[in-house]
Amino acid sequence: MDHTTLLVIAFGLAMDAFAVSITSGCVAKRLKLRSALRTALFFGGFQAVMPLLGYLAGSSFRAYIQQFDHWVAFGLLLFIGVKMIGESTFLADESKEKDQDYESLLVILVLAIATSIDALAVGITFSVLDVDIFYCAAMIGVVTFVLSLAGVWIGSKFGDIFSNRIEILGGVILIGIGIRILISHLTG
């Protein structure tokens, strides 16, 4: 997997954490650097760990799926992308109604886990591809950290104008990567 593809996957995975970070910034009464860093560390950390866990799980059954691994990668990325798009469009009103304390450690932990489940599935996908999982996980974690930190700041300055659109973009990116993997295996 080339560096550009990995970077695009990292951005796609980080979009839901970015959207939640924007929301976190929106509801914060005052932007606090400590809270923003904590949010970014949790989101980036979980986004880095989950692909490792997925890779380990996927490696255990890699030999059984090598003949159709490109279909597995495509299916997982398609599922994740469609899920992100669906959640951002159909659940947008429902999530706005919930009153969350986005600075609570427990809430940040739950949100970090929830936004990184997609990275777990991508880790399973990585197990059937020839990748350096530690480099991939680090890249995903760093991109998520930076975007989450920026998201808290953007949310505190501009409100929730962008949050749903960002998640839709992330879903479209992941679907595009899945299609690219499928086409490259079918034509190569």
Side-chain angles (χ1 to χ4, degrees):
M1 176 180 305
D2 62 83
H3 182 72
T4 304
T5 301
L6 176 59
L7 197 57
V8 170
I9 288 173
F11 272 93
L13 287 173
M15 288 300 128
D16 54 352
F18 181 57
V20 171
S21 297
I22 289 172
T23 304
S24 178
C26 288
V27 295
K29 304 291 185 240
R30 209 177 82 212
L31 179 64
K32 298 175 193 161
L33 181 60
R34 186 173 138 212
S35 295
L37 284 172
R38 182 173 56 186
T39 299
L41 280 171
F42 269 81
F43 287 177
F46 274 89
Q47 287 280 30
V49 169
M50 289 298 207
L52 293 171
L53 296 175
Y55 185 88
L56 290 173
S59 294
S60 64
F61 56 83
R62 179 183 356 194
Y64 303 109
I65 62 171
Q66 272 183 324
Q67 293 177 340
F68 52 92
D69 60 358
H70 51 283
W71 286 103
V72 171
F74 168 72
L76 285 171
L77 291 172
L78 177 67
F79 173 76
I80 295 164
V82 168
K83 179 178 155 282
M84 285 175 70
I85 292 168
E87 286 176 351
S88 69
T89 55
F90 298 118
L91 300 179
D93 296 333
E94 188 178 307
S95 67
K96 285 179 185 176
E97 293 173 7
K98 294 181 182 175
D99 187 23
Q100 299 280 350
D101 177 12
Y102 286 94
E103 291 185 19
S104 158
L105 188 59
L106 179 61
V107 170
I108 292 172
L109 177 64
V110 169
L111 290 172
I113 292 169
T115 58
S116 64
I117 297 299
D118 298 345
L120 179 74
V122 168
I124 294 170
T125 302
F126 284 164
S127 73
V128 298
L129 303 174
D130 186 25
V131 299
D132 176 359
I133 189 58
F134 294 107
Y135 177 72
C136 292
M139 177 71 73
I140 291 167
V142 167
V143 167
T144 303
F145 173 84
V146 170
L147 287 178
S148 296
L149 192 59
V152 173
W153 182 82
I154 290 168
S156 71
K157 300 295 179 197
F158 300 107
D160 61 350
I161 298 168
F162 303 112
S163 61
N164 291 344
R165 291 181 187 104
I166 295 298
E167 221 168 339
I168 292 170
L169 177 63
V172 169
I173 287 171
L174 291 179
I175 292 169
I177 295 294
I179 291 169
R180 181 174 177 234
I181 289 171
L182 183 63
I183 289 172
S184 70
H185 280 287
L186 293 176
T187 60

